[in-house]
Amino acid sequence: MSVRVRPSLPPVSRLLRLACAGASLLLAALAAPAAEPARAVHAPEPAQAASLPPAVLAALARAQVPREALAALVVDVEGQGPPRLALQPDLPVNPASVMKLVTTYAALEMLGPSFTWDTPVYLDARPEDGRLRGNVYIKGSGDPKLVAERLWLLMRRLRAQGVTVIVGDIVLDRSAFALAPHDAAQFDGEPWRPYNVAPDALLLNYKAITLSFVPDAAAGVAHVSHEPPLAHMELPASVPVAPEGTPCGDWRAALRAELATAGRIALAGRYPASCGERQWSIAPAGPRDYAARAVEGMWREVGGKLTGQVRDGIVPAGLAPAFSATSPALAEVVRDINKYSNNVMTQQLLLTLALQRSGQGSLAGARSLLARWWDERSGAPGTLVVDNGAGLSRDARLTARGLARLLQHAWASPVMPELMASLPIAGVDGTLRRRPGQASGVAHLKTGTLRDVSAVAGYVLGASGRRQVLVAVINHPNAPAARPALDALVDWARNDQPGMRGQK
């Protein structure tokens, strides 16, 4: 079937920009007394704190969003003095991707910034003359960044063990996570979007494939290449170019991609040459088979041969690993998550918390663990509804006050530098790169957007030199159109000196 592709949202992660024994740390963190949270305000807010700045009210009016749809809190990072702004701070709201602040801060505290994931590889026979007469086992432990480059390195290390031909199978052990079946179309009916990918104990390249298009006017086609190599995957080598003068426009829709069949991607349309070189990341159909396709494809890419198949299974008891692939440190993973709002990486992180605590990465265990951690640090017990920990949810909930107190707590935490460095900087990088304003370069903020949610939360350095915590969440059908109201609120928080507060 042909799929009508809507204009793409900002990518969940930029695949080509992402190059490439935690249990004791977690148990120690859980056993230790919780750090004393930063001072927060519980007294009734003064009347002026509930008054929205005129620029914010005007932007809400333009978007046809009522004031009552906004929950917001702006308070000193160390809790000094009353809030500058407090509007429905105890109202439970859907925070969208701002929820990632909760999950990533919890992981930094529980696991430590230097935590890494190991993916061990086992051989159940000794290679002789390049031939392994037995099986190779790869055991996943939830590594969120086992991307194409690192999978290539893993296969090169397997070759370095003296293995060229595997006279047997490659067995993928994904038992570290206990997951229910996942319907990638359930959230918004767009299962080919990489942000809808489900977590996996052996998550490879975010279960996504990147198609690259290079127009060749002389040949009348755009050449198509793809990464990573996937075995048993039917892909076009080229697509006709559109008539000369065709504007680039919605070039993905012009390709008329057929994405519903597992093992096949077809392009029935044309590519506008005016687009130049472009890339498109897709989560192909049949996600359960993605790991097997990627492993076999990469093994053959490095010159390996396989007489058997790639299949799921369990590593035999007592078998020692031949080697292990180690992930980047958690601090780098958290930076990728928050800068680019990567949903599946966040879900991997949430499940890892449960895995390190109990030996099994279950969603129920992870939700319970995160909720207890929130209750201890937010001062708003019982107000967190976790769902998947990434905010890609209609059911997730928290309060502006609870999140603000959590950010105050984080400011006094030893892992504050890692959390702060992971947040997009207004007008500089990540999801805020194209949103300059008066707070450009001085606001570290996580954003969140769903069809009925716009949210922002983080730290704003005021012109006075005092840093503030800002949390603002709009829940309304017109919420995305009200994004300028949140931008105006950030600018207002920046202008905290006398004589500046009236500025827009």
Side-chain angles (χ1 to χ4, degrees), residues 123-178:
L123 313 180
D124 66 4
R126 180 182 294 276
E128 295 181 1
D129 298 324
R131 300 175 73 85
L132 175 74
R133 299 183 182 278
N135 296 330
V136 174
Y137 296 84
I138 304 174
K139 183 174 177 60
S141 67
D143 185 346
K145 284 200 69 174
L146 198 47
V147 291
E149 296 87 346
R150 292 187 56 233
L151 179 60
W152 181 87
L153 290 172
L154 186 151
M155 293 303 172
R156 290 293 301 172
R157 290 186 67 182
L158 180 56
R159 287 292 310 272
Q161 299 292 312
V163 180
T164 300
V165 182
I166 300 171
V167 187
D169 297 338
I170 300 177
V171 182
L172 310 181
D173 187 338
R174 303 150 94 165
S175 61
F177 287 174

Side-chain angles (χ1 to χ4, degrees), residues 293-320:
R293 296 183 194 277
V295 166
E296 182 175 347
M298 194 64 79
W299 176 239
R300 298 191 186 283
E301 180 83 359
V302 301
K305 297 180 180 179
L306 176 67
T307 66
Q309 60 180 325
V310 183
R311 58 179 174 85
D312 286 347
I314 303 293
V315 176
L319 195 61

Side-chain angles (χ1 to χ4, degrees), residues 30 45 56 117 188 274 306 328 360 362:
L30 291 173
E45 280 76 39
V56 177
W117 289 259
D188 58 7
S274 59
L306 176 67
Q360 182 70 73
S362 72

Side-chain angles (χ1 to χ4, degrees), residues 60-412:
L60 288 174
R62 287 193 296 270
Q64 298 184 333
V65 171
R67 178 179 182 275
E68 293 73 24
L70 172 65
L73 190 64
V74 179
V75 63
D76 182 82
V77 73
E78 295 176 350
Q80 296 185 6
R84 284 188 64 200
L85 175 72
L87 181 67
Q88 304 187 103
D90 299 309
L91 177 70
V93 289
N94 186 337
S97 283
V98 164
M99 179 65 79
K100 293 179 174 70
L101 287 172
V102 179
T103 306
T104 54
Y105 176 35
L108 286 168
E109 267 214 342
M110 293 183 186
L111 302 176
S114 62
F115 174 83
T116 55
W117 289 259
D118 287 326
T119 303
V121 178
Y122 305 78
L123 313 180
D124 66 4
R126 180 182 294 276
E128 295 181 1
D129 298 324
R131 300 175 73 85
L132 175 74
R133 299 183 182 278
N135 296 330
V136 174
Y137 296 84
I138 304 174
K139 183 174 177 60
S141 67
D143 185 346
K145 284 200 69 174
L146 198 47
V147 291
E149 296 87 346
R150 292 187 56 233
L151 179 60
W152 181 87
L153 290 172
L154 186 151
M155 293 303 172
R156 290 293 301 172
R157 290 186 67 182
L158 180 56
R159 287 292 310 272
Q161 299 292 312
V163 180
T164 300
V165 182
I166 300 171
V167 187
D169 297 338
I170 300 177
V171 182
L172 310 181
D173 187 338
R174 303 150 94 165
S175 61
F177 287 174
L179 300 171
H182 174 74
D183 179 2
Q186 182 178 8
F187 184 72
D188 58 7
E190 300 185 350
W192 60 89
R193 300 280 194 182
Y195 61 71
N196 278 321
V197 162
D200 196 312
L202 189 61
L203 179 74
L204 299 179
N205 206 57
Y206 318 119
K207 298 184 186 177
I209 185 171
T210 299
L211 305 182
S212 297
F213 300 86
V214 180
D216 182 345
V221 300
H223 300 288
V224 183
S225 60
H226 65 276
E227 285 291 340
L230 298 180
H232 315 294
M233 189 78 185
E234 182 183 338
L235 292 157
S238 65
V239 61
V241 296
E244 185 176 356
T246 301
C248 186
D250 188 0
W251 60 274
R252 293 177 181 85
L255 288 169
R256 292 168 51 202
E258 298 176 0
L259 307 172
T261 304
R264 178 176 181 266
I265 293 177
L267 303 174
R270 295 175 177 270
Y271 181 79
S274 59
C275 291
E277 296 186 16
R278 295 288 178 113
Q279 294 177 332
W280 186 12
S281 292
I282 296 169
R288 184 68 191 178
D289 299 329
Y290 181 95
R293 296 183 194 277
V295 166
E296 182 175 347
M298 194 64 79
W299 176 239
R300 298 191 186 283
E301 180 83 359
V302 301
K305 297 180 180 179
L306 176 67
T307 66
Q309 60 180 325
V310 183
R311 58 179 174 85
D312 286 347
I314 303 293
V315 176
L319 195 61
F323 65 92
S324 186
T326 301
S327 75
L330 175 62
E332 180 179 333
V333 169
V334 166
R335 186 180 186 277
D336 286 339
I337 287 173
N338 285 333
K339 290 286 187 185
Y340 305 108
S341 207
N342 190 303
N343 290 301
V344 70
M345 289 179 76
T346 314
Q347 294 177 65
Q348 295 285 114
L349 196 53
L350 179 66
L351 289 162
T352 296
L353 296 179
L355 176 64
Q356 295 299 312
R357 173 66 180 268
S358 66
Q360 182 70 73
S362 72
L363 194 52
R367 287 169 175 165
S368 177
L369 180 63
L370 191 61
R372 290 197 304 272
W373 178 88
W374 164 274
D375 288 352
E376 293 170 358
R377 286 155 180 79
S378 70
T383 59
L384 182 72
V385 179
V386 178
D387 199 356
N388 55 33
L392 191 71
S393 167
R394 308 294 179 201
D395 301 321
R397 293 290 185 275
L398 50 69
T399 65
R401 192 190 303 277
L403 183 55
R405 288 201 65 191
L406 193 73
L407 290 170
Q408 289 175 319
H409 187 283
W411 184 253

